[in-house]
Amino acid sequence: MKKPDVAVVFEEGVSDEQFVEFKNAVSAQGLDVVVESRPPNGPIACAEWFIPTAIVVFLAKSYFDGFLKEAGKDHYQLLKSKLSQVTTKTMRMPRIEPVLFGTKGKLRKNNPYSLALSIYAEANDGNIFKLLLPKPSYYQDYEQIVVSFLNFLNDYHEGARVLGDIGFDTGIQPPGSTILLHMNEDTQQIEWVDHRS
């Protein structure tokens, strides 16, 4: 089965209204956009930054390598705008973050990243980028985070940036082929989050 170019997958029980609006806004001829629900996660045993969030946005390599080259930059600007709006609206909605259980010393007491929403994107080498979004109490400008992430992805897929540019240790194999990223508040740049720290 072919992967969609853009997808939003969310847990059952989460309202789909804004995701359907997002799909309607960014849909275009030649672009496969999917919005679907999934059953809630059951118990998961993994490092907390690798836990699937309640809402996942996925951007395939095909969007940058294929569709964007055909459609031009107008759609890219539209995607940045609409994805920023969905992210901001979702992160500002009242919600209860999932309760995490773990053995002593395994959970971070002040984890700044939300388990409500994350954005995944395909890399060139079979790996996946996962953008960790800060909880609303840690950061407010989600538009800047999303735009910076999409700009990084566009530069990366055009060959203008490489993994070393974001601080990634190219000598390691990321767990589950997932490269964790975040926005550095000081530099305002997208950077690798070292899962080992």
Side-chain angles (χ1 to χ4, degrees), residues 43-153:
I44 296 174
C46 67
E48 68 188 285
W49 291 343
F50 293 94
I51 294 172
T53 52
I55 303 160
V56 171
V57 177
F58 173 77
L59 303 170
K61 185 175 183 279
S62 60
Y63 176 80
F64 295 94
D65 287 354
F67 177 79
L68 195 56
K69 290 180 179 175
E70 300 283 327
K73 298 298 181 188
D74 287 345
H75 193 275
Y76 176 62
Q77 298 304 325
L78 177 67
L79 179 69
K80 285 198 283 191
S81 171
K82 296 304 180 184
L83 185 52
S84 295
Q85 289 172 11
V86 165
T87 301
T88 300
K89 185 174 180 181
T90 299
M91 295 304 291
R92 291 191 175 150
M93 287 170 43
R95 78 177 35 75
I96 299 171
E97 288 281 334
V99 176
L100 301 179
F101 296 97
T103 56
K104 187 176 180 180
K106 296 290 183 181
L107 293 176
R108 291 173 177 82
K109 292 184 181 185
N110 295 314
N111 176 24
Y113 302 114
S114 175
L115 291 175
L117 173 82
S118 58
I119 304 172
Y120 289 77
E122 280 186 300
N124 291 328
D125 52 9
N127 289 323
I128 299 285
F129 296 117
K130 178 181 181 180
L131 178 64
L132 300 170
L133 293 167
K135 294 175 183 174
S137 57
Y138 286 86
Y139 198 84
Q140 296 298 318
D141 193 353
Y142 293 105
E143 180 178 0
Q144 183 178 7
I145 295 172
V146 170
V147 168
S148 294
F149 181 58
L150 289 175
N151 287 341
F152 160 73
L153 291 174

Side-chain angles (χ1 to χ4, degrees), residues 142-172:
Y142 293 105
E143 180 178 0
Q144 183 178 7
I145 295 172
V146 170
V147 168
S148 294
F149 181 58
L150 289 175
N151 287 341
F152 160 73
L153 291 174
N154 190 47
D155 290 348
Y156 171 80
H157 285 292
E158 287 184 347
R161 296 194 68 188
V162 295
L163 293 177
D165 295 339
I166 57 171
F168 180 69
D169 180 352
T170 56
I172 68 161

